[in-house]
Amino acid sequence: MARSRAAYEYTDAEDKSMRLGFLLIAAGLLSLLGLGCCWLRPALQERGGGASANCTVLAVRQLGERFACTFSCGAACRGTARYPCLQVLVRTSRSSAPALLHEDERQLRTNPKCSYIPPCARDDQENSENVTYKQKYWKEKVGSQPFTCYFNQHLRPDDVMLKRTHDETVLLHCFLWPVVTFLVGVLIVVLTLCAKSLAVRAEAIKKKKH
């Protein structure tokens, strides 16, 4: 009986493999739960609530107001510079009312008054040149040509986005890696159990022969 009981006990390596497998299973499930509640669900709601449309530029202008941005010039070097506010007013194919164009949802949250935030440079003149270049782009290169934009008529009827913050690739990775972690944990546990079962059977066959 003592030998039979010892045959079913896990070795240190098998015990560590089982613990690792259960840890990966728990991590995968908790990651799915956390991402689903805190990030994936709001992202899907944002995508579900938004719609695509064709946008046409109505006006491109710079406001007299300037906004502050923070630049970095080294590990312990930071400062504040200013950039002019560029507004691109568009009309969508879903509505005749003018709307303010933004790069994406992140830019809209950072500065809802402007359509473009340049990379913050130390020199205010360089920031102004970047904004002026963007202004010429919308006036001369885009002009009256229609382009795809995204909007949410219920949450932000006066704003449209040039691109979505949460695209299909981000959502795929958000769902994929927790699932892969969970499956790897299940695979480790199953392989450990199978290896242990085969070892026990081999030991039983060996005893019968002797």
Side-chain angles (χ1 to χ4, degrees):
M1 290 292 292
R3 289 182 180 180
S4 177
R5 188 179 303 166
Y8 285 91
E9 291 179 355
Y10 290 101
T11 63
D12 290 339
E14 291 170 340
D15 186 60
K16 290 180 179 179
S17 296
M18 293 290 288
R19 289 183 181 181
L20 176 62
F22 286 123
L23 179 64
L24 291 176
I25 291 173
L29 290 175
L30 289 176
S31 298
L32 278 176
L33 182 63
L35 289 172
C37 294
C38 302
W39 195 87
L40 185 58
R41 185 179 177 184
L44 289 175
Q45 287 178 345
E46 176 188 322
R47 285 179 56 82
S52 62
N54 288 328
C55 281
T56 306
V57 176
L58 293 177
V60 183
R61 64 193 183 190
Q62 284 193 31
L63 301 181
E65 188 177 2
R66 287 178 170 261
F67 291 87
C69 64
T70 302
F71 64 86
S72 176
C73 50
C77 176
R78 287 182 174 272
T80 302
R82 293 189 171 273
Y83 64 92
C85 181
L86 175 67
Q87 286 190 340
V88 181
L89 299 177
V90 299
R91 179 170 52 225
T92 69
S93 57
R94 303 290 187 92
S95 174
S96 59
L100 183 61
L101 181 68
H102 302 273
E103 291 283 329
D104 53 26
E105 187 73 23
R106 188 179 296 108
Q107 183 267 313
L108 172 60
R109 289 194 298 267
T110 304
N111 190 341
K113 288 186 177 182
C114 305
S115 297
Y116 174 67
I117 299 176
C120 193
R122 190 169 188 170
D123 185 12
D124 291 356
Q125 182 62 30
E126 184 176 348
N127 292 326
S128 298
E129 291 175 356
N130 288 334
V131 173
T132 301
Y133 174 80
K134 202 70 174 181
Q135 182 179 7
K136 290 182 178 178
Y137 168 80
W138 284 107
K139 275 188 175 181
E140 299 174 4
K141 292 190 176 181
V142 178
S144 59
Q145 297 178 7
F147 58 92
T148 303
C149 60
Y150 304 92
F151 71 100
N152 191 313
Q153 194 65 33
H154 300 289
L155 296 179
R156 296 186 179 275
D158 299 327
D159 299 290
V160 295
M161 259 65 67
L162 186 61
K163 57 185 178 181
R164 285 169 167 161
T165 304
H166 307 291
D167 58 9
E168 289 81 358
T169 305
V170 175
L171 297 180
L172 175 63
H173 284 286
C174 178
F175 178 75
L176 177 63
W177 296 115
V179 171
V180 170
T181 303
F182 174 80
L183 292 178
V184 169
V186 172
L187 183 62
I188 290 175
V189 171
V190 170
L191 290 177
T192 304
L193 291 175
C194 290
K196 185 64 179 178
S197 177
L198 291 174
V200 170
R201 289 183 181 181
E203 184 69 23
I205 293 173
K206 184 179 179 180
K207 288 180 180 179
K208 287 182 180 180
K209 287 182 178 181
H210 290 288

